């Protein structure tokens, strides 16, 4: 019998699991400045709802907070507010810059970390570092603003971002480490423990305010019911007339008039509840009288009481829709204070809310230790296990309640002024059907507090080994009728639902199906290791319903791609944006300055990959229902058409492959009929690697009609037969390789890929070849001199907001797909197929060796090297050496192509959390042998730390 594991039991009980997930970390880290909250005529969310309004103005579609949780419809929220006695406002939410305020776009300017979480959300842990000095709002704005002249305050795009730690505010450790933990006694019984550590040398003032509030759903509709929070003899009673009733207790807190302590704080040792309403302070913001029926107490009432010293700003009747328990401490140096709270459904009320409180928290933490001990039994390195656990914690913490009714948003609310008529023809006007009210996995809950379709696909694969049910839910949601457009398009992201992200959904569905199949078997056996091993005992635990549901919707989406993105009907695709922001010569989301269009190597390759993914899913379904063989044949033939078109477009003998350079390039098709390659060596030319599938003879034996049709095509269409490799294995039959590249081109392309002077960074594959550092690609377009050069760090242009860069840095999603694709090529060709790694080294190795070494380079970003440094922290001495910083990992959006320093969004435990999966060795890979020593690589300050030694 396997050892008991309560978290596995919770994950295995699919009837009860949704109840455990009813409460979770569903608050955004930023709701202000989002498209959802923007009702401006010009479509500028940053200006319409700035940070300065957030503490006074009610949100329409969601809520934000620090270390916050809510129910899964975000009716009721619980989060932490803080005050150090010096800040001009309560710290109720994370501060950051709007897009136009930063030299590299929007950016959060706080230090916080998601430390731990269970997939059921029975345990959650977050760390927030709160400075003891006045928070430097003004200095951060001044230092960070874009100033291309270089004169005066501000920074150019060539300079790095100015961060909170750069102000010196953490010097001498003058800050609090505030640890917020949630532990559930049951699905509707949530314990909150806040522990604040004074890391500084002196006593320091600290106000902790656990805050409860109802999301404002009543100010927009005259018929809506308004919930209430009232004082109860033992605590608080929270009643939502359309939902439920809860009880809340804050240890030691008293009901009564707000105590005063200088600036309005409660007296030490006697915390008080402060009541107000979660409603916009119209008199303060707009100098207008409050609406009829207003209580006169507003969203910023608690702030006005605690910080402004205005006790009249909170409701003396002890009722409202927002309440905080106000604790005031003077924390001695090196000491800690603890605050405990409990929120319970009326049907689950404990006899004594704080009896056994700490024991319950300890139990849930012990269960988390048990769970993660069995998810990665083959990781021998404690630091690697630590990184993996924080990556998974980030995936869980970045779940968010996402509400957006586009029709209502465009039309306006009955109880509010009507929006300007031009909005009806503006952003997302063609997406009136989209009506979201779901828990979604976000890329980064501050910088990207909205879903992005292709990010969602990678999030699903990253979380699947730990929580396959949630992964499947996310993938199906994007295909549901309230997201997918009636024409079949999957929405891209809220800034422009009609934009196009790479079509990786089918890949994610197939991979998640495979992972879940194994996960189900291992749950039955009581362990979760080796998720990439095949099922061996004959039991098929697969979720066929999930696979079939997703497949039918993806066929509709595939048809949309074929009809909308193949301008000339010749199986060469344009695609447009495709998620790679500034990677090309032109902004691919807008008309070209030259006129005409671009035949995209990546757009066409993504569609070839999509064809193979759907073919493979159809073949799997056909093993149970022969009807799907016909569909598999359709996608097989579609793939062949794309493969042929990439080699010989429209019978002109021109392809996207350049034999001289050994690389794929985009082709510019001009209005006068001329066609020219755009010779930029970027990820665009590597994406054809992803279109690869190996068909085993055992599978072909189960789908005889498909196998027969494939043989007929290969026998009667020699022009297509040359696109399919075959290998006869005695005793098994013919193995087939479907790929855009055969052996010769694979080796040619890998020669570029594995060249350290081109794509191969010490930390993975760069987005753009380093060749372009000294040889930028230049193009003259109707008088516009355009160029693409190697930029390994932050973007030096304002394209797509200037807050991301594909022209040199390392990005996890495409690196992950490169590794998976090379594994497939190795599976077909075997150990005899060798390439030079690195290029010009003389070392000839099989492809599996390359995949292991690429994995090592990627995971090395986060792991401590022999010098104790983590490359992702760059030259930040505080993060590299301080014992209170160095083991709290940040999972950035992308990484410097030469140094590995983390860049872009700092909490992108969306697709960067793929590192959690990479840290698990595949099928006996020796990933954790002695790390290959580094030689010759430098940090940003020139300190030598190494590249792989000769193998």
């Amino acid at each position: 019998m396997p050892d008991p594991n309560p978290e596995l039991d919770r994950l295995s009980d699919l009837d009860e699991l949704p109840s455990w997930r009813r409460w979770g970390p569903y608050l955004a880290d930023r709701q202000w400045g989002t498209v959802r909250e923007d009702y401006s005529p010009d479509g500028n969310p940053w200006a319409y709802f700035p940070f300065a309004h957030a503490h006074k103005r009610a949100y329409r579609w969601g809520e934000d907070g620090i270390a916050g949780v809510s129910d899964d419809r975000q009716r009721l929220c619980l989060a932490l507010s803080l005050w150090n006695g010096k800040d001009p406002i309560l710290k109720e939410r994370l501060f950051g810059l709007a897009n136009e305020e930063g030299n590299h776009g929007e950016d959060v300017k706080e230090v916080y970390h998601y430390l731990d979480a269970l997939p059921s959300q029975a345990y959650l842990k977050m760390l927030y570092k709160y400075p003891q000095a006045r928070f430097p709002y003004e200095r951060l704005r001044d230092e960070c603003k874009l100033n291309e002249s270089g004169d005066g305050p501000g920074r150019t795009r060539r300079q790095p971002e100015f961060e909170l730690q750069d102000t010196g505010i953490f010097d001498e450790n003058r800050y609090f480490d505030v640890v917020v933990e949630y532990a559930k006694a049951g699905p509707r019984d949530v314990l909150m423990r806040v522990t604040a550590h004074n890391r500084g040398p002196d006593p320091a003032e600290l106000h902790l305010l656990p805050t409860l509030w109802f999301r404002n759903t009543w100010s927009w509709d005259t018929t809506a019911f308004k919930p209430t929070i009232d004082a109860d003899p033992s605590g608080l009673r929270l009643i939502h007339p359309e939902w439920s009733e809860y009880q809340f207790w804050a240890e030691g807190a008293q009901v009564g008039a707000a105590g005063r302590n200088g600036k309005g704080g409660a007296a030490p040792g006697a915390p008080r509840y402060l009541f107000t309403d979660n409603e916009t302070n119209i008199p303060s913001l707009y100098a207008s009288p409050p609406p009829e029926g207003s209580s006169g107490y507003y969203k910023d009432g608690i702030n006005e009481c605690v910080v402004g010293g205005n006790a009249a700003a909170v409701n003396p009747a002890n009722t409202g829709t927002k309440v905080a328990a106000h604790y005031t401490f003077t924390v001695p140096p090196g000491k800690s204070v603890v605050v405990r709270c409990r929120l319970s459904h009326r049907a689950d009320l404990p006899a004594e809310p704080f009896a056994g409180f700490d024991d319950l928290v300890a139990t849930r933490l012990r269960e988390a230790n048990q769970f993660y001990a069995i998810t990665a039994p083959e990781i021998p390195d404690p630091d690697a296990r630590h990184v993996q656990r924080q990556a998974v914690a980030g995936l869980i913490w970045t779940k968010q309640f996402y509400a957006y009714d586009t029709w209502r948003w465009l039309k306006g609310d009955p109880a509010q002024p009507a929006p300007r008529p031009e909005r009806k023809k503006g952003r997302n006007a063609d997406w009136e059907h989209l009506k979201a009210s779901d828990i979604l996995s976000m890329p980064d809950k501050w910088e990207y507090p909205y879903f992005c379709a292709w990010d969602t696909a990678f999030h699903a694969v990253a979380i699947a080994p730990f929580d396959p049910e949630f992964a499947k839910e996310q993938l199906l949601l994007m295909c549901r009728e309230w997201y997918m457009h009636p024409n079949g398009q999957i929405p891209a992201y809220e800034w422009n639902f009609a934009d196009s992200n790479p079509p990786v959904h089918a890949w994610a569905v197939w991979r998640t199906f495979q992972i879940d199949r194994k996960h189900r078997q291992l749950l039955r056996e009581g362990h979760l290791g080796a998720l990439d091993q095949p099922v061996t005992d004959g039991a098929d635990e697969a979720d066929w319903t999930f696979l079939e549901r997703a497949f039918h919707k993806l066929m509709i989406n595939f048809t949309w791609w074929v009809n909308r993105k193949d301008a000339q009907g010749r199986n060469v695709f344009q695609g447009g944006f495709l998620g790679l922001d500034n990677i090309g010569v032109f902004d691919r989301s807008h008309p070209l300055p030259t006129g005409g269009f671009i035949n995209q190597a990546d757009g066409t390759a993504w569609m070839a990959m999509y064809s193979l993914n759907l073919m493979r899913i159809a073949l799997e379904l056909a093993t149970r229902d022969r009807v799907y063989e016909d569909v598999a044949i359709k996608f097989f033939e579609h793939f062949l058409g794309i493969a042929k078109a990439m080699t010989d477009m429209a019978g002109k003998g021109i392809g996207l492959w350049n034999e001289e350079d050994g690389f794929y390039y985009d082709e510019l098709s001009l209005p006068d009929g001329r066609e020219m390659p755009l010779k930029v060596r970027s990820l665009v030319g590597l994406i054809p690697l992803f279109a690869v599938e190996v068909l085993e003879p055992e599978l072909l034996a189960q789908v005889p009609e498909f196998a027969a049709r494939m043989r007929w095509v290969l026998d009667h269409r020699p022009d297509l037969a040359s696109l399919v490799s075959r290998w006869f294995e005695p005793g098994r039959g013919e193995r087939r390789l479907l790929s855009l590249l055969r052996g010769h081109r694979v080796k040619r392309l890998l020669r570029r890929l594995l060249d350290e002077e081109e794509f191969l960074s010490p930390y993975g594959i760069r987005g753009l070849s380093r060749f372009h550092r000294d040889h930028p690609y230049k193009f003259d377009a109707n008088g516009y001199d355009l160029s693409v050069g190697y930029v390994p760090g932050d973007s030096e242009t304002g394209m797509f907001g200037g807050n991301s860069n594909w022209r040199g840095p390392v990005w996890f999603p495409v690196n992950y797909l490169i590794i998976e694709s090379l594994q497939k090529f190795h599976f077909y060709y075997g150990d005899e197929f060798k390439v030079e790694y690195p290029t010009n080294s003389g070392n000839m190795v099989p492809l599996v060796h390359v995949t292991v070494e690429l994995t090592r380079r990627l995971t090395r970003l986060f792991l401590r090297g022999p010098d104790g440094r983590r490359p992702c922290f760059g030259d930040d001495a505080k993060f590299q050496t301080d014992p209170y910083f160095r083991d709290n990992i940040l999972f950035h959006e992308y990484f410097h192509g030469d140094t590995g320093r983390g860049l872009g969004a700092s909490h992108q435990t969306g697709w960067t959390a793929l590192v959690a999966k990479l840290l698990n060795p595949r099928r006996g890979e020796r990933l954790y042998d002695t790390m290959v020593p580094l030689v010759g690589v430098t940090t940003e300050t020139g300190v030598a730390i190494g590249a792989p030694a000769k193998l």
Side-chain angles (χ1 to χ4, degrees):
M1 284 288 293
D3 294 333
N5 192 304
E7 179 66 4
L8 283 187
D9 293 340
R10 287 188 285 265
L11 294 176
S12 302
D13 189 344
L14 300 186
D15 293 328
E16 187 65 16
L17 182 57
S19 298
W20 281 97
R21 290 195 174 128
R22 184 169 294 132
W23 283 86
Y26 303 144
L27 269 67
D29 288 339
R30 174 178 62 84
Q31 185 70 13
W32 60 272
T34 60
V35 168
R36 304 184 295 289
E37 300 294 339
D38 176 28
Y39 286 79
S40 67
D42 61 350
N44 185 348
W46 301 106
Y48 181 78
F49 204 134
F51 174 80
H53 285 196
H55 69 292
K56 292 176 177 285
R57 187 171 162 188
Y59 293 127
R60 170 64 178 90
W61 296 102
E63 295 289 342
D64 58 18
I66 296 173
V69 298
S70 76
D71 66 278
D72 57 6
R73 287 296 174 266
Q74 205 161 94
R75 304 172 185 92
L76 180 60
C77 307
L78 171 61
L80 180 66
S81 301
L82 311 95
W83 189 49
N84 57 15
K86 302 180 180 70
D87 284 349
I89 57 174
L90 274 181
K91 182 64 73 173
E92 294 183 275
R93 57 189 47 80
L94 299 170
F95 170 71
L97 304 176
N99 179 265
E100 66 273 11
E101 292 180 309
N103 64 323
H104 295 293
E106 62 267 31
D107 188 43
V108 67
K109 298 300 180 186
E110 305 267 15
V111 178
Y112 59 103
H113 301 270
Y114 304 121
L115 297 182
D116 208 358
L118 281 170
S120 69
Q121 294 143 207
Y123 180 73
L124 301 163
K125 183 178 182 181
M126 179 184 168
L127 168 66
Y128 174 65
K129 290 184 178 286
Y130 187 38
Q132 294 170 4
R134 176 186 170 100
F135 196 87
Y137 294 105
E138 298 84 0
R139 185 180 176 192
L140 286 166
R141 287 193 178 99
D142 289 342
E143 294 276 3
C144 294
K145 66 182 179 183
L146 179 63
N147 180 359
E148 290 289 21
S149 71
D151 298 327
R155 296 192 164 207
T156 69
R157 293 194 192 276
R158 293 180 179 273
Q159 292 177 286
E161 293 174 328
F162 184 81
E163 304 294 358
L164 179 61
Q165 57 270 26
D166 296 328
T167 67
I169 203 165
F170 294 121
D171 291 354
E172 298 182 303
N173 288 343
R174 293 183 183 274
Y175 65 91
F176 296 101
D177 267 340
V178 183
V179 178
V180 182
E181 295 171 281
Y182 293 97
K184 294 181 185 176
R188 298 181 299 180
D189 190 358
V190 182
L191 283 64
M192 177 191 195
R193 184 171 72 183
V194 181
T195 308
H197 308 272
N198 181 357
R199 301 300 188 196
D202 299 315
E205 179 181 356
L206 178 64
H207 300 243
L208 296 175
L209 296 93
T211 305
L212 271 169
W213 70 100
F214 283 108
R215 177 166 64 94
N216 188 326
T217 55
W218 58 90
S219 292
W220 331 106
D221 186 347
T222 55
T223 64
F225 292 96
K226 184 175 178 178
T228 58
I229 306 175
D230 296 311
D232 183 89
S234 64
L236 304 177
R237 188 172 60 161
L238 304 98
I239 301 174
H240 194 297
E242 297 176 325
W243 177 45
S244 197
E245 181 178 333
Y246 275 78
Q247 195 84 10
F248 179 79
W249 304 267
E251 190 174 37
Q254 301 175 18
V255 176
R260 293 183 62 84
N261 179 19
K263 292 190 176 181
R272 298 282 180 174
Y273 289 117
L274 308 178
F275 290 82
T276 190
D277 276 306
N278 182 24
E279 296 179 0
T280 298
N281 190 336
I282 292 177
S284 175
L285 278 174
Y286 307 112
S288 300
E292 184 179 351
S294 170
S295 68
Y297 300 99
Y298 305 110
K299 183 176 178 179
D300 62 340
I302 296 168
N303 173 79
E304 290 299 307
C305 176
V306 174
V307 179
N310 180 12
V314 294
N315 194 336
N318 299 317
T319 186
T321 51
K322 179 180 178 180
V323 63
H326 181 196
Y327 294 82
T328 302
F329 303 98
T330 299
V331 188
K335 300 298 183 181
S336 307
V337 294
V338 179
V339 167
R340 299 175 181 86
C341 304
R342 189 165 188 165
L343 177 67
S344 302
H345 190 270
R346 66 178 180 180
D348 304 316
L349 298 181
E352 296 288 339
F354 298 104
F357 189 106
D358 289 342
D359 290 340
L360 190 280
V361 176
T363 296
R364 293 293 181 255
L365 176 57
R366 186 167 56 252
E367 292 170 1
N369 292 336
Q370 285 178 285
F371 175 75
Y372 286 107
I374 67 167
T375 57
E378 298 181 7
I379 301 179
D381 179 10
D383 190 41
R385 295 171 76 96
H386 172 78
V387 170
Q388 183 188 65
R389 185 159 170 175
Q390 284 197 25
V392 178
L395 277 167
I396 296 167
W397 269 97
T398 50
K399 296 178 183 181
Q400 180 185 311
F401 172 72
Y402 184 86
Y404 189 14
D405 181 340
T406 312
W407 179 84
R408 172 53 63 197
W409 178 78
L410 289 166
K411 184 179 177 63
D413 292 302
Q416 298 293 318
R420 294 277 291 273
E422 53 263 43
R423 293 184 71 252
K424 296 179 180 180
K425 296 182 179 180
R427 176 177 287 132
N428 297 331
D430 293 332
W431 290 75
E432 289 188 351
H433 75 284
L434 195 144
K435 189 173 183 177
S437 182
D438 300 291
I439 302 302
L440 299 181
S441 178
M442 297 298 167
D444 178 312
K445 288 205 297 187
W446 196 96
E447 190 148 340
Y448 301 106
Y450 47 83
F451 73 88
C452 300
W454 78 311
D455 294 62
T456 299
F458 290 106
H459 302 179
V461 173
I463 195 65
F466 309 91
D467 190 356
E469 292 304 314
F470 181 72
K472 291 184 292 183
E473 290 168 10
Q474 293 295 288
L475 293 170
L476 288 174
L477 264 177
M478 290 296 102
C479 297
R480 295 305 301 267
E481 56 275 14
W482 56 90
Y483 286 93
M484 180 181 279
H485 197 280
N487 66 18
Q489 184 179 9
I490 292 175
Y493 48 89
E494 68 176 26
W495 287 86
N496 184 2
F497 285 139
D499 218 334
S500 51
N501 277 175
V504 293
H505 221 74
W507 165 80
V509 165
W510 174 242
R511 292 295 289 119
T512 299
F513 171 79
Q514 291 175 301
I515 294 168
D516 177 51
R517 173 187 265 174
K518 183 60 181 174
H519 193 279
R520 289 169 174 239
Q521 180 197 21
L522 296 175
L523 277 176
R524 178 165 49 81
E525 297 172 356
H527 63 88
L528 289 177
L531 277 167
D532 282 306
Q533 296 287 357
V535 177
T536 56
D537 67 355
D540 190 349
E541 306 283 342
D543 187 347
W544 294 98
T545 299
F546 159 71
L547 190 65
E548 195 164 13
R549 287 180 68 192
F551 180 72
H552 283 279
K553 286 300 187 77
L554 289 172
M555 284 196 295
I556 299 172
N557 178 245
F558 183 90
T559 302
W560 174 83
W561 272 93
V562 170
N563 290 338
R564 294 299 182 94
K565 296 297 182 179
D566 182 6
Q568 297 178 315
R570 60 185 195 180
N571 288 317
V572 178
F573 292 82
Q574 289 73 55
F577 168 52
L578 289 179
L580 304 184
D581 293 19
N582 66 340
I583 201 163
V585 179
F586 308 105
D587 181 342
R588 302 193 298 179
S589 287
H590 293 93
L592 304 180
T594 60
F597 55 87
I598 298 175
N599 290 313
Q600 295 177 213
D602 58 337
T604 305
W606 285 124
M607 285 303 292
M609 174 184 172
Y610 200 176
S611 300
L612 289 180
N613 294 151
L614 290 177
M615 180 200 74
R616 186 62 188 85
I617 293 172
L619 288 173
E620 194 71 16
L621 293 170
T623 62
R624 294 165 57 90
D625 186 342
R626 294 278 300 277
V627 168
Y628 286 100
E629 288 191 72
D630 292 339
V631 188
I633 291 168
K634 178 259 189 292
F635 288 114
F636 166 69
E637 295 186 354
H638 209 117
F639 164 75
L640 292 179
I642 295 172
K644 177 177 173 58
M646 286 191 74
T647 304
D648 180 14
M649 292 188 292
K652 297 180 180 180
I654 301 172
L656 300 181
W657 172 260
N658 186 291
E659 182 62 28
E660 180 182 357
D661 291 355
F663 207 75
Y664 283 99
Y665 295 123
D666 283 347
E667 178 202 72
L668 176 62
S669 183
L670 294 167
D672 61 8
R674 286 181 299 143
E675 295 173 336
M676 63 176 66
L678 300 172
K679 292 192 173 185
V680 180
R681 295 182 200 160
S682 72
L683 284 173
V684 166
L686 301 178
I687 289 172
L689 282 170
F690 304 164
V692 55
E693 189 60 64
V694 178
L695 299 180
E696 291 293 307
E698 291 83 359
L699 173 62
L700 293 173
Q702 297 181 72
V703 286
E705 191 171 328
F706 173 87
R709 177 61 181 171
M710 182 172 65
R711 284 193 298 270
W712 187 94
V713 170
L714 297 181
D715 289 342
H716 294 82
R717 289 289 306 274
D719 57 324
L720 299 180
S722 62
L723 303 173
V724 180
S725 299
R726 67 184 85 185
W727 174 39
F728 184 80
E729 186 174 340
R732 293 185 64 203
E734 281 192 335
R735 172 184 286 182
R736 304 281 185 167
L737 173 71
L738 305 181
S739 170
L740 293 177
L741 300 88
R742 299 182 66 177
H744 167 71
R745 288 188 180 178
V746 170
K747 290 186 176 182
R748 293 290 308 280
L749 200 58
L750 290 184
R751 184 163 183 81
R752 300 268 187 214
L753 181 88
L754 303 177
D755 189 338
E756 291 172 309
E757 292 302 314
E758 292 221 28
F759 288 97
L760 184 61
S761 158
Y763 308 104
I765 301 302
R766 301 177 173 106
L768 188 80
S769 171
R770 204 163 180 241
F771 168 83
H772 291 302
R773 179 187 60 180
D774 300 320
H775 307 89
Y777 178 79
K778 296 183 179 181
F779 185 88
D780 181 11
N782 293 341
Y784 292 94
D785 292 326
L786 305 175
S787 67
V788 177
Y790 175 68
V791 181
D794 287 307
S795 174
E796 296 179 1
T797 77
M799 290 176 69
F800 292 90
N803 62 336
S804 66
N805 179 31
W806 289 82
R807 295 183 177 181
V810 173
W811 290 76
F812 255 76
V814 286
N815 271 264
Y816 187 87
L817 288 174
I818 287 169
I819 290 171
E820 275 210 350
S821 299
L822 294 182
Q823 287 167 343
K824 287 185 178 181
F825 280 113
H826 175 262
F827 184 62
Y828 179 78
Y829 285 116
D831 288 343
E832 299 305 312
F833 187 91
K834 295 185 178 183
V835 296
E836 191 178 30
Y837 175 85
T839 300
N840 298 322
S841 68
N843 298 312
M844 303 301 295
V845 299
L847 291 178
V848 69
H849 185 102
V850 175
T851 66
V852 172
E853 289 303 313
L854 289 180
T855 300
R856 282 180 170 171
R857 290 181 184 237
L858 288 164
T859 56
R860 180 185 290 144
L861 281 162
F862 306 99
L863 301 174
R864 275 203 209 156
D867 59 357
R869 297 169 56 91
R870 301 183 193 274
C872 63
F873 289 152
D875 288 323
D876 191 316
K878 194 77 172 173
F879 275 88
Q880 290 288 14
T881 61
D882 190 303
Y884 296 123
F885 279 73
R886 67 188 182 194
D887 293 323
N888 301 320
I889 312 301
L890 291 172
F891 298 89
H892 282 82
E893 184 180 2
Y894 53 98
F895 300 86
H896 195 286
D898 295 334
T899 70
R901 177 170 61 93
L903 300 166
S906 56
H907 293 74
Q908 189 101 353
T909 38
W911 60 27
T912 301
L914 287 164
V915 69
K917 194 164 185 316
L918 290 176
L919 285 165
N920 273 339
R922 269 180 56 96
R923 301 186 183 179
E925 288 175 348
R926 302 182 69 175
L927 190 58
Y928 293 98
D929 288 351
T930 302
M931 294 296 283
V932 179
L934 294 173
V935 292
V937 180
T938 59
T939 68
E940 290 159 76
T941 55
V943 180
I945 60 172
K950 206 167 184 179
L951 298 170

